[in-house]
Amino acid sequence: MYHEQYMQKAVKEALLNIRENRGGPFAAVVVKDGKIIAVGTNEVTTANDPTAHAEVQAIRKACQKLGTFQLTDCVLYTSCEPCPMCLGAIYWARFKEVYYCFTRDEAAHIGFDDAFIYNELPLVPHARTIPAKHFTLDLSSDENPFMQWQNKHDKIKY
């Protein structure tokens, strides 16, 4: 029963987001130990930020509130199946579970189609619609951030 109340909250926040003209029909709720930690809504158009998806907004708020960059003891309830960007953020945050209400097919039906991005992911970087090209520099170990990180003794791993 408790899953239903958190999903209802996500859907109600998505409806409110539309009614208040803050963005698309998406909202997400982060729950820890049976308590809502954070709520995020889609603010792409109002924030002029293509990364301001509901899940990302909720993750940012939850991490700030909890003072951590990992949400391993948290559950995410989202109004829609996460897009590839949000799915990546969910994995980086290390949620223990994710529940969604509407599917990506239902989202595509109303104009939010992520199929293009899903289709681009398996392609090699230079073959994508927005090609990514490997560019190397001749760097000394002091100028190389990867070598510096590898040799750093007090780094916080994630």
Side-chain angles (χ1 to χ4, degrees):
M1 184 63 181
Y2 62 94
H3 291 304
E4 186 173 341
Q5 76 182 51
Y6 301 129
M7 190 59 75
Q8 284 285 352
K9 174 72 171 166
V11 170
K12 285 179 183 176
E13 291 292 331
L15 282 168
L16 187 60
N17 204 50
I18 297 165
R19 291 177 181 145
E20 293 182 355
N21 291 318
R22 289 185 279 137
F26 308 103
V29 176
V30 177
V31 175
K32 181 178 180 180
D33 299 328
K35 294 182 182 176
I36 294 176
I37 302 302
V39 175
T41 58
N42 177 284
E43 297 176 28
V44 169
T45 56
T46 52
N48 292 320
D49 180 353
T51 69
H53 288 204
E55 297 90 342
V56 172
Q57 299 290 72
I59 289 168
R60 289 173 178 159
K61 290 175 184 178
C63 288
Q64 287 295 309
K65 185 171 183 177
L66 296 173
T68 184
F69 55 88
Q70 293 183 347
L71 301 171
T72 54
D73 295 330
C74 296
V75 177
L76 182 70
Y77 295 85
T78 182
S79 61
C80 187
E81 183 177 354
C83 75
M85 176 185 69
C86 293
L87 188 59
I90 287 164
Y91 274 88
W92 278 114
R94 293 175 172 81
F95 281 94
K96 66 179 179 180
E97 290 182 302
V98 176
Y99 294 88
Y100 61 91
C101 188
F102 298 98
T103 67
R104 65 173 139 169
D105 292 332
E106 290 171 302
H109 184 70
I110 62 166
F112 295 93
D113 193 355
D114 300 325
F116 168 73
I117 299 170
Y118 281 106
N119 293 335
E120 290 279 299
L121 289 174
L123 300 176
V124 293
H126 68 273
R128 294 178 181 151
T129 301
I130 301 173
K133 300 169 185 171
H134 187 210
F135 188 94
T136 59
L137 292 172
D138 186 24
L139 301 170
S140 72
S141 61
D142 286 342
E143 299 170 313
N144 185 319
F146 276 40
M147 290 183 88
Q148 291 295 310
W149 177 257
Q150 184 177 9
N151 297 327
K152 186 173 175 59
H153 298 290
D154 61 345
K155 62 187 164 205
I156 299 172
K157 294 182 181 182
Y158 57 99

